[in-house]
Amino acid sequence: MPNLRRRSPDGGALTSAAGALPYGVSQMREYVGDMTEELAVMARAQGDEKLACLLEVAADVARSHQT
C-alpha cells in the first residue's frame, strides 16, 4: 500500500529529498484532480460558486504534489 502520509517507517516525516511519490500515488492524485475539477464545473453550473472555488483548490492541491 502506498505511503500516502509521507512518513518514513520510523515515523518521521519524509522530505522532498526522499524522492518521487510511490508508484500509483501520482496517478491517484491526477485522477482525484481530474474528478474534483469536473465536480467544480458541475457546482458552478448549479450556481454554487463557493463550492466550485473550493473544489478547484482541492484539484490544484491534488495535482501540485505530482512528481
Side-chain angles (χ1 to χ4, degrees), residues 1-9 12 14 21-22 25:
M1 171 171 251
N3 186 356
L4 299 177
R5 294 181 185 238
R6 307 288 290 153
R7 297 275 178 197
S8 66
L14 294 176
L21 293 171
V25 173

Side-chain angles (χ1 to χ4, degrees), residues 5 10 12 23 28 38 42 47 49 58:
R5 294 181 185 238
D10 65 358
Y23 176 77
M28 182 263 320
E38 288 296 319
M42 293 169 61
E49 184 66 24

Side-chain angles (χ1 to χ4, degrees), residues 14-54:
L14 294 176
T15 65
S16 59
L21 293 171
Y23 176 77
V25 173
S26 64
Q27 290 85 356
M28 182 263 320
R29 292 180 78 92
E30 181 178 349
Y31 175 78
V32 169
D34 290 345
M35 291 296 99
T36 309
E37 188 173 318
E38 288 296 319
L39 289 170
V41 170
M42 293 169 61
R44 189 165 280 118
Q46 294 295 314
D48 195 339
E49 184 66 24
K50 185 175 182 178
L51 179 59
C53 290
L54 289 169

